Amino acid sequence: MFWILLAVILAAGEVMSVSFFLAPFAVGALLGGLADLAGAPAVAAFLVFLVSSGLLFGIVRPIARRHLRTPAQLRTGTAALIGRTAIVTELIDNDAGSGSVKLDGELWTARAYEDDEVIATGRRVHVVEIKGATALVSETV
């Protein structure tokens, strides 16, 4: 029972921290519990716990740390356009319902992100959001 209780406590700690620090020890406790259940002496079960936890920690932790450092998944579709710079090709005026920008070589209908903002032709703008086929843009970042 000790090994199962230890494994549950370590697994719960891992779920709360999501750092892959306690997970190898939780698995090691389960393996120690299996060794104990198979009739191995307490010292042998403890050695199984130590060795398996150490091996798992040495294998899993570096992989987990590498994944924490990798950049977020590449955005695709219209989500990839957010944050890009575009050139205003037609005066953007939300009140008049007019405006377009050249974004990634394509013409897009555009509206100002801030309702009272009017953006002149030829200005560089930043894409803040895409709603349907309309780019919401702003001159300020």
Side-chain angles (χ1 to χ4, degrees):
M1 273 318 257
F2 167 75
W3 293 110
I4 301 300
L5 181 62
L6 181 61
V8 168
I9 290 170
L10 290 169
E14 177 60 44
V15 168
M16 307 270 287
S17 71
V18 242
S19 63
F20 282 107
F21 179 78
L22 297 175
F25 297 104
V27 173
L30 280 177
L31 293 175
L34 287 175
D36 193 33
L37 188 64
V43 172
F46 186 70
L47 286 175
V48 166
F49 166 72
L50 286 178
V51 170
S52 61
S53 294
L55 285 173
L56 287 169
F57 188 78
I59 294 168
V60 173
R61 182 72 174 156
I63 295 169
R65 293 189 76 194
R66 221 172 313 136
H67 282 286
L68 289 174
R69 290 191 198 121
T70 57
Q73 285 186 338
L74 297 176
R75 293 182 293 177
T76 59
T78 57
L81 300 174
I82 296 172
R84 298 245 178 131
T85 301
I87 304 290
V88 177
T89 57
E90 178 187 344
L91 178 75
I92 298 174
D93 185 354
N94 291 4
D95 293 334
S98 66
S100 64
V101 294
K102 189 164 191 172
L103 175 60
D104 269 2
E106 297 178 352
L107 284 178
W108 280 76
T109 301
R111 298 292 178 263
Y113 186 71
E114 299 291 330
D115 281 331
D116 59 342
E117 188 176 17
V118 175
I119 306 171
T121 304
R123 302 291 301 208
R124 289 191 180 275
V125 292
H126 299 281
V127 178
V128 178
E129 187 178 342
I130 302 286
K131 279 193 176 177
T134 303
L136 300 180
V137 298
S138 177
E139 283 191 285
T140 58
V141 180

Short mmCIF file of all heavy atoms in Angstrom, two decimals, residues 44-102:
data_model
loop_
_atom_site.label_atom_id
_atom_site.label_comp_id
_atom_site.label_asym_id
_atom_site.label_seq_id
_atom_site.Cartn_x
_atom_site.Cartn_y
_atom_site.Cartn_z
N ALA A 44 14.94 -4.56 -1.93
CA ALA A 44 14.93 -4.74 -3.39
C ALA A 44 13.87 -3.82 -4.02
O ALA A 44 14.11 -3.22 -5.07
CB ALA A 44 14.67 -6.19 -3.76
N ALA A 45 12.70 -3.71 -3.40
CA ALA A 45 11.65 -2.83 -3.92
C ALA A 45 12.12 -1.39 -3.91
O ALA A 45 11.86 -0.64 -4.86
CB ALA A 45 10.38 -2.99 -3.09
N PHE A 46 12.84 -1.00 -2.86
CA PHE A 46 13.37 0.35 -2.77
C PHE A 46 14.43 0.59 -3.86
O PHE A 46 14.48 1.66 -4.46
CB PHE A 46 13.96 0.61 -1.38
CG PHE A 46 14.39 2.03 -1.16
CD1 PHE A 46 13.46 3.05 -1.07
CD2 PHE A 46 15.74 2.35 -1.08
CE1 PHE A 46 13.85 4.37 -0.89
CE2 PHE A 46 16.14 3.66 -0.90
CZ PHE A 46 15.20 4.67 -0.81
N LEU A 47 15.28 -0.42 -4.12
CA LEU A 47 16.28 -0.29 -5.18
C LEU A 47 15.62 -0.19 -6.56
O LEU A 47 16.07 0.58 -7.41
CB LEU A 47 17.25 -1.47 -5.15
CG LEU A 47 18.28 -1.44 -4.01
CD1 LEU A 47 19.12 -2.72 -3.98
CD2 LEU A 47 19.19 -0.23 -4.15
N VAL A 48 14.53 -0.96 -6.77
CA VAL A 48 13.79 -0.85 -8.03
C VAL A 48 13.25 0.56 -8.18
O VAL A 48 13.32 1.16 -9.25
CB VAL A 48 12.65 -1.90 -8.09
CG1 VAL A 48 11.68 -1.60 -9.21
CG2 VAL A 48 13.21 -3.30 -8.23
N PHE A 49 12.71 1.11 -7.09
CA PHE A 49 12.20 2.49 -7.11
C PHE A 49 13.31 3.47 -7.47
O PHE A 49 13.15 4.31 -8.36
CB PHE A 49 11.59 2.84 -5.74
CG PHE A 49 11.36 4.31 -5.56
CD1 PHE A 49 10.34 4.96 -6.23
CD2 PHE A 49 12.16 5.05 -4.69
CE1 PHE A 49 10.12 6.33 -6.06
CE2 PHE A 49 11.95 6.41 -4.51
CZ PHE A 49 10.93 7.05 -5.20
N LEU A 50 14.47 3.37 -6.81
CA LEU A 50 15.57 4.30 -7.05
C LEU A 50 16.11 4.20 -8.47
O LEU A 50 16.28 5.22 -9.15
CB LEU A 50 16.70 4.07 -6.05
CG LEU A 50 16.46 4.55 -4.61
CD1 LEU A 50 17.66 4.20 -3.75
CD2 LEU A 50 16.20 6.04 -4.59
N VAL A 51 16.37 2.98 -8.92
CA VAL A 51 16.97 2.79 -10.23
C VAL A 51 16.01 3.20 -11.34
O VAL A 51 16.38 3.95 -12.26
CB VAL A 51 17.44 1.32 -10.42
CG1 VAL A 51 17.85 1.04 -11.85
CG2 VAL A 51 18.59 1.02 -9.47
N SER A 52 14.76 2.75 -11.26
CA SER A 52 13.80 3.08 -12.32
C SER A 52 13.50 4.59 -12.33
O SER A 52 13.39 5.19 -13.39
CB SER A 52 12.53 2.27 -12.18
OG SER A 52 11.89 2.53 -10.95
N SER A 53 13.39 5.19 -11.16
CA SER A 53 13.13 6.63 -11.10
C SER A 53 14.30 7.41 -11.69
O SER A 53 14.12 8.36 -12.45
CB SER A 53 12.91 7.08 -9.66
OG SER A 53 11.73 6.54 -9.15
N GLY A 54 15.51 7.00 -11.35
CA GLY A 54 16.71 7.66 -11.87
C GLY A 54 16.82 7.53 -13.38
O GLY A 54 17.10 8.51 -14.08
N LEU A 55 16.57 6.33 -13.90
CA LEU A 55 16.63 6.13 -15.34
C LEU A 55 15.55 6.93 -16.06
O LEU A 55 15.82 7.60 -17.06
CB LEU A 55 16.48 4.64 -15.68
CG LEU A 55 17.70 3.78 -15.40
CD1 LEU A 55 17.37 2.30 -15.62
CD2 LEU A 55 18.86 4.20 -16.28
N LEU A 56 14.33 6.86 -15.56
CA LEU A 56 13.23 7.61 -16.18
C LEU A 56 13.48 9.11 -16.11
O LEU A 56 13.22 9.83 -17.07
CB LEU A 56 11.90 7.25 -15.53
CG LEU A 56 11.36 5.87 -15.88
CD1 LEU A 56 10.20 5.50 -14.98
CD2 LEU A 56 10.93 5.83 -17.33
N PHE A 57 13.96 9.57 -14.98
CA PHE A 57 14.25 11.00 -14.83
C PHE A 57 15.33 11.43 -15.82
O PHE A 57 15.24 12.48 -16.43
CB PHE A 57 14.69 11.30 -13.38
CG PHE A 57 14.81 12.76 -13.09
CD1 PHE A 57 13.68 13.53 -12.86
CD2 PHE A 57 16.05 13.37 -13.03
CE1 PHE A 57 13.78 14.89 -12.59
CE2 PHE A 57 16.16 14.72 -12.76
CZ PHE A 57 15.03 15.48 -12.54
N GLY A 58 16.36 10.60 -15.97
CA GLY A 58 17.44 10.92 -16.89
C GLY A 58 17.02 10.91 -18.34
O GLY A 58 17.61 11.60 -19.18
N ILE A 59 15.98 10.13 -18.67
CA ILE A 59 15.50 10.06 -20.05
C ILE A 59 14.41 11.07 -20.32
O ILE A 59 14.44 11.80 -21.31
CB ILE A 59 14.99 8.64 -20.37
CG1 ILE A 59 16.16 7.64 -20.32
CG2 ILE A 59 14.29 8.58 -21.71
CD1 ILE A 59 15.73 6.19 -20.33
N VAL A 60 13.41 11.15 -19.45
CA VAL A 60 12.22 11.97 -19.70
C VAL A 60 12.47 13.45 -19.47
O VAL A 60 12.01 14.29 -20.24
CB VAL A 60 11.04 11.47 -18.83
CG1 VAL A 60 9.86 12.40 -18.93
CG2 VAL A 60 10.65 10.07 -19.23
N ARG A 61 13.17 13.79 -18.44
CA ARG A 61 13.34 15.21 -18.08
C ARG A 61 14.03 16.03 -19.18
O ARG A 61 13.56 17.11 -19.53
CB ARG A 61 14.09 15.31 -16.75
CG ARG A 61 14.29 16.72 -16.26
CD ARG A 61 13.03 17.34 -15.78
NE ARG A 61 13.33 18.64 -15.18
CZ ARG A 61 12.50 19.61 -15.06
NH1 ARG A 61 11.27 19.44 -15.43
NH2 ARG A 61 12.86 20.75 -14.54
N PRO A 62 15.14 15.53 -19.77
CA PRO A 62 15.75 16.33 -20.85
C PRO A 62 14.82 16.51 -22.05
O PRO A 62 14.80 17.58 -22.66
CB PRO A 62 16.99 15.51 -21.24
CG PRO A 62 17.30 14.69 -20.05
CD PRO A 62 15.98 14.40 -19.40
N ILE A 63 14.04 15.50 -22.37
CA ILE A 63 13.09 15.62 -23.48
C ILE A 63 12.03 16.67 -23.14
O ILE A 63 11.68 17.52 -23.97
CB ILE A 63 12.43 14.26 -23.77
CG1 ILE A 63 13.48 13.28 -24.28
CG2 ILE A 63 11.29 14.41 -24.77
CD1 ILE A 63 13.01 11.84 -24.37
N ALA A 64 11.52 16.64 -21.92
CA ALA A 64 10.51 17.61 -21.49
C ALA A 64 11.08 19.03 -21.50
O ALA A 64 10.41 19.96 -21.94
CB ALA A 64 9.99 17.26 -20.10
N ARG A 65 12.29 19.20 -21.05
CA ARG A 65 12.90 20.54 -21.03
C ARG A 65 13.11 21.05 -22.45
O ARG A 65 12.95 22.23 -22.72
CB ARG A 65 14.22 20.51 -20.27
CG ARG A 65 13.99 20.23 -18.78
CD ARG A 65 15.20 20.41 -17.98
NE ARG A 65 15.38 21.85 -17.83
CZ ARG A 65 16.48 22.41 -17.40
NH1 ARG A 65 17.50 21.67 -17.07
NH2 ARG A 65 16.59 23.70 -17.27
N ARG A 66 13.48 20.16 -23.38
CA ARG A 66 13.65 20.56 -24.78
C ARG A 66 12.32 21.04 -25.36
O ARG A 66 12.27 22.01 -26.08
CB ARG A 66 14.17 19.37 -25.59
CG ARG A 66 15.23 19.76 -26.57
CD ARG A 66 15.88 18.57 -27.26
NE ARG A 66 16.26 17.54 -26.31
CZ ARG A 66 16.05 16.24 -26.50
NH1 ARG A 66 15.51 15.81 -27.60
NH2 ARG A 66 16.42 15.36 -25.60
N HIS A 67 11.25 20.34 -25.02
CA HIS A 67 9.94 20.73 -25.52
C HIS A 67 9.47 22.06 -24.93
O HIS A 67 8.75 22.80 -25.59
CB HIS A 67 8.90 19.64 -25.25
CG HIS A 67 8.99 18.51 -26.21
ND1 HIS A 67 8.57 18.60 -27.51
CD2 HIS A 67 9.49 17.26 -26.08
CE1 HIS A 67 8.78 17.46 -28.13
NE2 HIS A 67 9.35 16.64 -27.29
N LEU A 68 9.87 22.36 -23.72
CA LEU A 68 9.49 23.63 -23.11
C LEU A 68 10.18 24.80 -23.81
O LEU A 68 9.66 25.92 -23.80
CB LEU A 68 9.85 23.64 -21.61
CG LEU A 68 8.98 22.75 -20.73
CD1 LEU A 68 9.53 22.74 -19.31
CD2 LEU A 68 7.54 23.23 -20.73
N ARG A 69 11.34 24.57 -24.39
CA ARG A 69 12.10 25.64 -25.04
C ARG A 69 11.73 25.83 -26.51
O ARG A 69 12.15 26.80 -27.11
CB ARG A 69 13.59 25.35 -24.94
CG ARG A 69 14.11 25.49 -23.54
CD ARG A 69 15.63 25.45 -23.52
NE ARG A 69 16.07 25.17 -22.18
CZ ARG A 69 16.82 24.14 -21.85
NH1 ARG A 69 17.25 23.31 -22.75
NH2 ARG A 69 17.17 23.94 -20.60
N THR A 70 11.01 24.89 -27.11
CA THR A 70 10.68 25.02 -28.53
C THR A 70 9.63 26.10 -28.72
O THR A 70 8.79 26.32 -27.86
CB THR A 70 10.16 23.70 -29.13
OG1 THR A 70 9.02 23.28 -28.39
CG2 THR A 70 11.22 22.63 -29.11
N PRO A 71 9.67 26.80 -29.86
CA PRO A 71 8.68 27.85 -30.10
C PRO A 71 7.29 27.24 -30.27
O PRO A 71 7.14 26.06 -30.57
CB PRO A 71 9.15 28.50 -31.41
CG PRO A 71 10.03 27.50 -32.05
CD PRO A 71 10.61 26.66 -30.95
N ALA A 72 6.29 28.08 -30.07
CA ALA A 72 4.92 27.61 -30.24
C ALA A 72 4.72 27.13 -31.67
O ALA A 72 5.46 27.52 -32.57
CB ALA A 72 3.95 28.76 -29.94
N GLN A 73 3.73 26.29 -31.86
CA GLN A 73 3.47 25.76 -33.19
C GLN A 73 3.27 26.90 -34.18
O GLN A 73 2.74 27.96 -33.84
CB GLN A 73 2.23 24.89 -33.18
CG GLN A 73 2.44 23.55 -32.55
CD GLN A 73 1.21 22.68 -32.72
OE1 GLN A 73 0.12 23.16 -32.92
NE2 GLN A 73 1.41 21.39 -32.61
N LEU A 74 3.69 26.64 -35.38
CA LEU A 74 3.53 27.65 -36.42
C LEU A 74 2.05 27.88 -36.69
O LEU A 74 1.28 26.93 -36.79
CB LEU A 74 4.23 27.20 -37.70
CG LEU A 74 5.73 27.02 -37.60
CD1 LEU A 74 6.27 26.46 -38.90
CD2 LEU A 74 6.39 28.33 -37.28
N ARG A 75 1.68 29.13 -36.76
CA ARG A 75 0.29 29.46 -37.06
C ARG A 75 0.07 29.33 -38.55
O ARG A 75 0.94 29.63 -39.35
CB ARG A 75 -0.02 30.87 -36.59
CG ARG A 75 0.03 31.00 -35.07
CD ARG A 75 -0.34 32.37 -34.63
NE ARG A 75 0.69 33.32 -35.09
CZ ARG A 75 0.64 34.60 -34.92
NH1 ARG A 75 -0.39 35.15 -34.32
NH2 ARG A 75 1.60 35.39 -35.33
N THR A 76 -1.12 28.91 -38.93
CA THR A 76 -1.46 28.76 -40.33
C THR A 76 -2.76 29.49 -40.62
O THR A 76 -3.46 29.92 -39.71
CB THR A 76 -1.62 27.28 -40.71
OG1 THR A 76 -2.66 26.72 -39.89
CG2 THR A 76 -0.34 26.51 -40.52
N GLY A 77 -3.09 29.59 -41.90
CA GLY A 77 -4.32 30.26 -42.29
C GLY A 77 -4.31 31.73 -41.93
O GLY A 77 -3.28 32.38 -41.89
N THR A 78 -5.49 32.24 -41.61
CA THR A 78 -5.59 33.67 -41.29
C THR A 78 -4.90 34.00 -39.97
O THR A 78 -4.46 35.13 -39.78
CB THR A 78 -7.06 34.12 -41.23
OG1 THR A 78 -7.75 33.32 -40.27
CG2 THR A 78 -7.73 33.99 -42.58
N ALA A 79 -4.77 33.03 -39.08
CA ALA A 79 -4.08 33.28 -37.81
C ALA A 79 -2.62 33.66 -38.05
O ALA A 79 -2.03 34.40 -37.26
CB ALA A 79 -4.17 32.06 -36.90
N ALA A 80 -2.04 33.18 -39.15
CA ALA A 80 -0.65 33.50 -39.46
C ALA A 80 -0.48 34.95 -39.89
O ALA A 80 0.62 35.49 -39.88
CB ALA A 80 -0.13 32.57 -40.56
N LEU A 81 -1.57 35.61 -40.28
CA LEU A 81 -1.49 37.00 -40.75
C LEU A 81 -1.48 38.00 -39.60
O LEU A 81 -1.08 39.15 -39.79
CB LEU A 81 -2.66 37.30 -41.68
CG LEU A 81 -2.72 36.43 -42.94
CD1 LEU A 81 -4.00 36.73 -43.72
CD2 LEU A 81 -1.49 36.64 -43.80
N ILE A 82 -1.93 37.59 -38.43
CA ILE A 82 -1.99 38.50 -37.28
C ILE A 82 -0.58 38.92 -36.90
O ILE A 82 0.32 38.09 -36.77
CB ILE A 82 -2.74 37.86 -36.11
CG1 ILE A 82 -4.18 37.62 -36.52
CG2 ILE A 82 -2.65 38.72 -34.86
CD1 ILE A 82 -4.99 36.82 -35.53
N GLY A 83 -0.38 40.22 -36.75
CA GLY A 83 0.93 40.76 -36.41
C GLY A 83 1.75 41.18 -37.61
O GLY A 83 2.79 41.82 -37.46
N ARG A 84 1.30 40.84 -38.80
CA ARG A 84 2.03 41.22 -40.01
C ARG A 84 1.78 42.68 -40.35
O ARG A 84 0.83 43.29 -39.90
CB ARG A 84 1.59 40.35 -41.19
CG ARG A 84 1.88 38.89 -40.99
CD ARG A 84 2.88 38.41 -41.97
NE ARG A 84 3.17 37.01 -41.74
CZ ARG A 84 3.18 36.11 -42.69
NH1 ARG A 84 2.89 36.45 -43.92
NH2 ARG A 84 3.48 34.87 -42.40
N THR A 85 2.64 43.20 -41.22
CA THR A 85 2.52 44.58 -41.68
C THR A 85 1.86 44.57 -43.06
O THR A 85 2.14 43.71 -43.89
CB THR A 85 3.91 45.22 -41.78
OG1 THR A 85 4.52 45.17 -40.48
CG2 THR A 85 3.82 46.66 -42.22
N ALA A 86 0.98 45.53 -43.28
CA ALA A 86 0.28 45.68 -44.56
C ALA A 86 0.38 47.13 -45.01
O ALA A 86 0.67 48.02 -44.21
CB ALA A 86 -1.17 45.25 -44.42
N ILE A 87 0.10 47.38 -46.28
CA ILE A 87 0.10 48.73 -46.85
C ILE A 87 -1.34 49.08 -47.20
O ILE A 87 -2.03 48.31 -47.86
CB ILE A 87 0.97 48.81 -48.13
CG1 ILE A 87 2.39 48.35 -47.84
CG2 ILE A 87 0.93 50.21 -48.72
CD1 ILE A 87 3.19 49.29 -46.98
N VAL A 88 -1.79 50.26 -46.76
CA VAL A 88 -3.15 50.71 -47.05
C VAL A 88 -3.22 51.11 -48.52
O VAL A 88 -2.46 51.95 -48.99
CB VAL A 88 -3.54 51.90 -46.14
CG1 VAL A 88 -4.93 52.41 -46.50
CG2 VAL A 88 -3.46 51.51 -44.68
N THR A 89 -4.17 50.49 -49.26
CA THR A 89 -4.34 50.79 -50.69
C THR A 89 -5.57 51.66 -50.95
O THR A 89 -5.70 52.23 -52.02
CB THR A 89 -4.45 49.49 -51.51
OG1 THR A 89 -5.55 48.73 -51.02
CG2 THR A 89 -3.16 48.69 -51.44
N GLU A 90 -6.47 51.71 -49.97
CA GLU A 90 -7.66 52.57 -50.05
C GLU A 90 -7.91 53.12 -48.66
O GLU A 90 -7.77 52.39 -47.67
CB GLU A 90 -8.87 51.74 -50.51
CG GLU A 90 -10.17 52.51 -50.58
CD GLU A 90 -11.38 51.61 -50.86
OE1 GLU A 90 -11.18 50.46 -51.29
OE2 GLU A 90 -12.50 52.07 -50.62
N LEU A 91 -8.25 54.40 -48.57
CA LEU A 91 -8.50 55.05 -47.28
C LEU A 91 -9.37 54.17 -46.39
O LEU A 91 -10.42 53.69 -46.81
CB LEU A 91 -9.20 56.39 -47.50
CG LEU A 91 -9.57 57.15 -46.22
CD1 LEU A 91 -8.34 57.78 -45.61
CD2 LEU A 91 -10.63 58.18 -46.51
N ILE A 92 -8.89 53.94 -45.16
CA ILE A 92 -9.66 53.13 -44.21
C ILE A 92 -10.47 54.07 -43.33
O ILE A 92 -9.91 54.86 -42.58
CB ILE A 92 -8.74 52.24 -43.36
CG1 ILE A 92 -7.98 51.25 -44.24
CG2 ILE A 92 -9.55 51.49 -42.30
CD1 ILE A 92 -6.94 50.43 -43.52
N ASP A 93 -11.79 53.97 -43.47
CA ASP A 93 -12.71 54.80 -42.70
C ASP A 93 -13.91 53.93 -42.34
O ASP A 93 -14.73 53.61 -43.19
CB ASP A 93 -13.14 56.02 -43.53
CG ASP A 93 -14.01 56.99 -42.73
OD1 ASP A 93 -14.37 56.67 -41.58
OD2 ASP A 93 -14.32 58.07 -43.28
N ASN A 94 -13.99 53.54 -41.08
CA ASN A 94 -15.07 52.65 -40.64
C ASN A 94 -16.45 53.28 -40.84
O ASN A 94 -17.41 52.58 -41.18
CB ASN A 94 -14.88 52.25 -39.18
CG ASN A 94 -13.71 51.32 -38.97
OD1 ASN A 94 -12.97 51.03 -39.91
ND2 ASN A 94 -13.52 50.86 -37.75
N ASP A 95 -16.56 54.59 -40.61
CA ASP A 95 -17.85 55.26 -40.76
C ASP A 95 -18.34 55.20 -42.22
O ASP A 95 -19.53 55.05 -42.48
CB ASP A 95 -17.77 56.71 -40.29
CG ASP A 95 -17.55 56.80 -38.78
OD1 ASP A 95 -17.95 55.85 -38.06
OD2 ASP A 95 -16.97 57.81 -38.32
N ALA A 96 -17.43 55.33 -43.16
CA ALA A 96 -17.79 55.29 -44.58
C ALA A 96 -17.85 53.86 -45.11
O ALA A 96 -18.32 53.63 -46.22
CB ALA A 96 -16.80 56.11 -45.40
N GLY A 97 -17.35 52.91 -44.32
CA GLY A 97 -17.35 51.51 -44.76
C GLY A 97 -16.36 51.25 -45.87
O GLY A 97 -16.59 50.40 -46.73
N SER A 98 -15.25 51.98 -45.86
CA SER A 98 -14.26 51.81 -46.93
C SER A 98 -12.92 51.41 -46.35
O SER A 98 -12.63 51.62 -45.18
CB SER A 98 -14.11 53.12 -47.71
OG SER A 98 -13.54 54.11 -46.87
N GLY A 99 -12.12 50.83 -47.20
CA GLY A 99 -10.75 50.51 -46.82
C GLY A 99 -10.29 49.18 -47.37
O GLY A 99 -11.05 48.23 -47.44
N SER A 100 -9.01 49.16 -47.78
CA SER A 100 -8.39 47.91 -48.19
C SER A 100 -6.89 48.04 -47.97
O SER A 100 -6.33 49.14 -47.93
CB SER A 100 -8.71 47.58 -49.65
OG SER A 100 -8.17 48.54 -50.52
N VAL A 101 -6.27 46.87 -47.84
CA VAL A 101 -4.82 46.82 -47.63
C VAL A 101 -4.23 45.74 -48.51
O VAL A 101 -4.91 44.81 -48.93
CB VAL A 101 -4.45 46.52 -46.15
CG1 VAL A 101 -4.87 47.65 -45.24
CG2 VAL A 101 -5.02 45.20 -45.68
N LYS A 102 -2.95 45.88 -48.78
CA LYS A 102 -2.21 44.83 -49.47
C LYS A 102 -1.45 44.07 -48.40
O LYS A 102 -0.59 44.61 -47.71
CB LYS A 102 -1.26 45.41 -50.51
CG LYS A 102 -0.65 44.34 -51.38
CD LYS A 102 -0.03 44.95 -52.61
CE LYS A 102 0.33 43.81 -53.56
NZ LYS A 102 0.77 44.33 -54.84
#
